Amino acid sequence: MSEPTALTDRRILVTGAAQGLGRTIAARIVDLGGVVVVADVADESGAHTAAELGDAATYEHLDVSSEHDWAAVCGRVTDSLGGLDGLVNNAALLDMGPLEQIEPDRARRLLEVNLLGPLLGIRAVAPLLRASGGGAVVNVSSIGGLEGMNSTATYNATKWGLRGLSRAAALELGLDGTRVNTVCPGMGNPDMPTPFLDRFDLDRYVQTAPRLPFHQHGQPRNVDVHDVAEMVVWLLSDAARGCTGADFAVDAGWTAGTYAEGLPGF
Ligand SMILES: NC(=O)c1ccc[n+]([C@@H]2O[C@H](COP(=O)([O-])OP(=O)(O)OC[C@H]3O[C@@H](n4cnc5c(N)ncnc54)[C@H](O)[C@@H]3O)[C@@H](O)[C@H]2O)c1
């Protein structure tokens, strides 16, 4: 009997998997015996990633904000793989800047990719998961979906919204045996450098952010993409059969709370 954490022959689509966290998740799915659809808008790097992952991976062009793309990809995947057992909504955009200077068109694009995208994805993939007897969806939010931060108002709104979407979807899809959960990775840790944060001065953030007490006073370790990928693949697996409609922070305590200086235990 295979381990409950195995993903043997599970067919799982990962969005935004050409690089960064999505690529790490896709690679881990293959490690665990799964079959992965690397979906992205970055065709060259996406195809390259799928080729590197070997025969168990294929590349599909998919703009998550396009209903047409979702229908086309689901059709092709049904033809080639016979269906899907899982979906990881990982693709997202980050934008930074003062709230009063947010460009409405740019905010609309973040909402389309980060929030409408996962909604369209769940909507398109739900019948395939149902046909396979119930599957698993993992939505990648952020600690930005558990708290707010200056400079990231639109991103925060999309990542909080994604948690709400996950819960509603967990209730509806749960009727057919599909589980839907949310992973909230830590953001801004220097050990989680992905291209997503290239434009973001991580060192300066970590040194100057006013609220990093756990980080400063004994955070056990920084998270990296592998820590987050482990949580995602666990949630995709049967080991997580008891979990749906829940949020899983992988932030090494970033959102656990604050130390109160002067009180015992500090
Ligand atoms: N990097 C971090 O520190 C961090 C922290 C917390 C949460 N996250 C979340 O993790 C996820 C992955 O982040 P990352 O750092 O790997 O990002 P990344 O920018 O490295 O990768 C994102 C991928 O999404 C793709 N993409 C962009 N728009 C798309 C679209 N419309 N359709 C399909 N694909 C599209 C990009 O081409 C890219 O390959 C995101 O949901 C992000 O919000 C990241």
Side-chain angles (χ1 to χ4, degrees):
M1 215 174 84
S2 66
E3 287 293 314
T5 50
L7 293 174
T8 312
D9 298 331
R10 299 282 166 88
R11 302 153 297 179
I12 298 160
L13 187 151
V14 184
T15 69
Q19 65 176 36
L21 176 60
R23 188 194 185 291
T24 309
I25 293 167
R28 199 64 189 114
I29 290 168
V30 172
D31 285 347
L32 292 166
V35 174
V36 76
V37 179
V38 171
D40 209 294
V41 286
D43 294 331
E44 200 174 318
S45 51
H48 182 70
T49 292
E52 280 185 337
L53 297 182
D55 291 345
T58 50
Y59 176 70
E60 287 286 348
H61 176 90
L62 171 73
D63 177 345
V64 295
S65 68
S66 162
E67 195 181 339
H68 171 270
D69 280 10
W70 276 109
V73 169
C74 285
R76 285 197 295 274
V77 165
T78 302
D79 288 345
S80 59
L81 301 178
L84 278 177
D85 305 292
L87 168 67
V88 182
N89 280 313
N90 165 78
L93 301 173
L94 170 68
D95 210 17
M96 303 195 74
L99 192 145
E100 289 175 56
Q101 290 171 24
I102 289 173
E103 293 288 340
D105 282 346
R106 180 66 184 162
R108 267 186 213 103
R109 188 61 189 147
L110 254 73
L111 286 157
E112 278 179 5
V113 173
N114 297 9
L115 188 51
L116 179 65
L119 171 59
L120 293 178
I122 293 171
R123 185 172 168 267
V125 164
L128 280 66
L129 301 181
R130 187 179 304 123
S132 69
V137 176
V138 179
N139 292 322
V140 180
S141 176
S142 168
I143 55 168
L146 294 168
E147 55 184 22
M149 194 174 85
N150 56 298
S151 242
T152 58
T154 315
Y155 182 80
N156 286 136
T158 64
K159 292 299 186 179
W160 277 78
L162 186 54
R163 290 173 51 224
L165 168 63
S166 293
R167 290 181 184 215
L171 292 170
E172 290 197 30
L173 274 57
L175 298 173
D176 294 317
T178 291
R179 297 179 295 101
V180 185
N181 288 290
T182 310
V183 171
C184 298
M187 184 172 76
N189 281 327
D191 288 353
M192 189 163 162
T194 74
F196 188 71
L197 294 173
D198 272 357
R199 290 179 297 128
F200 184 19
D201 183 347
L202 281 183
D203 288 342
R204 185 168 151 268
Y205 173 64
V206 169
Q207 281 157 22
T208 59
R211 189 180 167 281
L212 290 175
F214 202 20
H215 192 77
Q216 287 166 351
H217 298 301
Q219 186 179 21
R221 65 189 299 270
N222 291 320
V223 291
D224 62 27
V225 284
H226 303 286
D227 299 321
V228 181
E230 283 315 306
M231 177 59 84
V232 172
V233 294
W234 184 79
L235 286 168
L236 288 169
S237 79
D238 292 344
R241 61 186 177 273
C243 303
T244 193
D247 305 317
F248 296 83
V250 185
D251 66 353
W254 190 287
T255 53
T258 50
Y259 285 107
E261 289 190 49
L263 290 179
F266 173 65

